[in-house]
Amino acid sequence: MTDAQRSGCPINLSLEVLGDKWSLLIIRDMMFGNRRHFRELLTKSEEGISSNILADRLKTLLEQGIITREDDPTHKQKGIYSLTEQGIELLPVLAQMAAWGYRYLPVTEELGIRARLLSEGGPKMWAEFMDELRESHLGAKRRKRTGPSVGERLQAAYESVVKRS
Amino acid sequence: MTDAQRSGCPINLSLEVLGDKWSLLIIRDMMFGNRRHFRELLTKSEEGISSNILADRLKTLLEQGIITREDDPTHKQKGIYSLTEQGIELLPVLAQMAAWGYRYLPVTEELGIRARLLSEGGPKMWAEFMDELRESHLGAKRRKRTGPSVGERLQAAYESVVKRS
DNA sequence: ACAACCAGTTGCAATCCGCAATCGGTTTTG
DNA sequence: CAAAACCGATTGCGGATTGCAACTGGTTGT
């Protein structure tokens, strides 16, 4: 995680920030699992990140302006991590990566359902979900809403699959 | 690069294959720089990968079915690496990553021009470019063509920026 | 008062990374 | 034909990164 810059190529620069096995998983959990505290990110994820790695990655993501941290008013020790606009705009990257993994890798049905819906929904659904993230992470104004949010639909679909098995 | 599987989540599985600082750069060079030989990938890239890492990554990408390797008929030692359909379908992932990096990271003008054009072109341009890759890497039939290819347009734009500076 | 919880930090062993040198073989050059 | 250049890797090695487990100092709930 040194800042030695290899080249000014956008793909290379992105990989220097996000090119490891954990950073994007943390973003994923913040986006789709609504994990906002250190402890939630540590324990409530499928993969089991260790605490020192989590602390290190959160620090890097903070430095890069992808997330922010503020104190939780209800608990003097807790911090609340939020995605910035820059972080929210990683959604299309995650969506494409999820769609590719869904097509080619041994994805479980439970964990693949979100990828499938998001892929079928396409860029329009992504934009809608990003707007919802701007509400919950940036405190943006709530727009008019018809029916359940994208986040709710994804969550409902996931739970429906879990219940079936 | 062990195959210990952490979870069946599509994003996690994708990251277990591609989640390092080099794999996607190799794919990028094969896609946009038309690098097909070991030596080309080794020396003609912006970042300077070392040969053992390159050999290791090529092996992994082969095992994962993202690229293939065949002997070069004109040279007994050379191998020709090609993208598979699975590899070609990483283009949208790279395109989104490039677009994000272009917006938020200190991209140089020369190396950012392709990202900008690809972002402006959108999914339609990506599909066209993927068809061109199917021709050059899979030997797919050449479709009707009007004007310069996407690959040629990107290359021309890049060289135009280089010349200006 | 005590246990549980909180966000991290520390020590340590194992792995991974990148550099440089090298390998056995092939092709090009003089 | 001999030497030089080129080919796709492989090896050795020091330093950086990773992952596990234990622990820290502090806060909250019972």
Side-chain angles (χ1 to χ4, degrees), chain B residues 104-115:
Chain B
Y104 290 109
L105 301 175
V107 169
T108 61
E109 193 191 357
E110 291 172 16
L111 297 172
I113 181 66
R114 288 195 191 92

Side-chain angles (χ1 to χ4, degrees), chain A residues 37-39 51-52 69 77-79 81:
Chain A
H37 302 293
F38 188 94
R39 207 41 63 156
S51 59
N52 53 347
R69 192 210 129 109
Q77 271 185 313
K78 280 188 181 174
Y81 292 98

Side-chain angles (χ1 to χ4, degrees), chain A residues 41 45 75 81 117 123 127 154:
Chain A
L41 288 163
S45 90
H75 190 299
Y81 292 98
L117 291 180
L154 293 177

Side-chain angles (χ1 to χ4, degrees), chain A residues 7-75:
Chain A
S7 90
C9 164
I11 294 177
N12 175 57
L13 290 170
S14 298
L15 287 171
E16 288 190 20
V17 179
L18 303 166
D20 73 278
K21 296 207 188 301
W22 288 112
S23 299
L24 284 174
L25 291 182
I26 295 170
I27 310 281
R28 176 203 63 182
D29 284 347
M30 291 182 71
M31 278 188 181
F32 299 104
N34 202 34
R35 315 262 188 266
R36 305 291 288 273
H37 302 293
F38 188 94
R39 207 41 63 156
E40 286 179 331
L41 288 163
L42 186 66
T43 59
K44 295 182 187 171
S45 90
E46 291 285 331
E47 292 87 10
I49 191 173
S50 54
S51 59
N52 53 347
I53 305 289
L54 176 58
D56 178 79
R57 293 303 183 281
L58 287 173
K59 204 177 85 182
T60 305
L61 292 172
L62 278 168
E63 288 166 1
Q64 291 292 331
I66 294 170
I67 62 174
T68 56
R69 192 210 129 109
E70 34 184 351
D71 291 336
D72 184 336
T74 73
H75 190 299

Side-chain angles (χ1 to χ4, degrees), chain A residues 120-136:
Chain A
E120 288 169 1
K124 197 172 170 185
M125 190 190 228
W126 306 347
E128 200 182 332
F129 188 49
M130 286 166 72
D131 265 339
E132 294 170 14
L133 291 172
R134 287 186 189 99
E135 291 174 15
S136 51

